[in-house]
Amino acid sequence: MSVLPNCPKCDSSYTYQDGVMSVCPECAHEWNMSQDNDIVDEGVVVKDFNGNTLNDGDTVSVIKDLKVKGSSSVVKVGTKVKNIRLIDSDHNIDCKIDGIGAMKLKSEFVKKV
């Protein structure tokens, strides 16, 4: 019986193997193990409208008017959003827009500046 390593995210010892992936039941983190047992993390890659890879802290520009749900406000084309944070969700950009406040955006509606 092989010994599985602790979770690289939360250091839980309750990891288990699911096919080629290792899974942590406590934080739901999944990662792939290479043959020499080095951890190869499968990170989320978020790309903008043009296919450029986005990173935390980037500045992006909105490419189309976006209605703000539950409000009569609109985020206009060309609005620059600074210091974005990437999250693992349907709306994968968490940010703060001047004049509107905290929002979540889809990466398909922004371009990297």
Side-chain angles (χ1 to χ4, degrees):
M1 184 161 102
S2 66
V3 178
L4 293 173
N6 290 353
C7 175
K9 239 183 189 175
C10 70
D11 202 38
S12 170
S13 62
Y14 299 112
T15 58
Y16 64 92
Q17 200 76 25
D18 185 21
V20 296
M21 301 296 285
S22 294
V23 182
C24 174
E26 292 185 2
C27 69
H29 180 66
E30 296 182 3
W31 69 97
N32 192 1
M33 298 286 290
S34 66
Q35 290 179 342
D36 57 354
N37 288 339
D38 289 336
I39 297 172
V40 179
D41 195 0
E42 299 293 324
V44 177
V45 177
V46 178
K47 296 191 177 195
D48 71 353
F49 175 75
N50 293 326
N52 299 321
T53 303
L54 297 174
N55 299 308
D56 285 340
D58 282 348
T59 299
V60 295
S61 177
V62 178
I63 63 166
K64 70 179 258 183
D65 286 346
L66 301 173
K67 294 180 181 177
V68 179
K69 198 172 197 176
S71 171
S72 61
S73 303
V74 175
V75 179
K76 296 285 188 178
V77 172
T79 302
K80 287 190 179 180
V81 182
K82 298 177 185 177
N83 198 19
I84 63 170
R85 291 172 305 280
L86 302 179
I87 56 175
D88 191 18
S89 176
D90 182 35
H91 290 71
N92 45 12
I93 297 174
D94 192 19
C95 61
K96 186 174 182 182
I97 299 176
D98 293 337
I100 296 178
M103 285 194 74
K104 294 186 181 189
L105 300 172
K106 290 187 177 185
S107 61
E108 62 201 49
F109 298 122
V110 299
K111 67 179 179 179
K112 192 172 186 175
V113 175

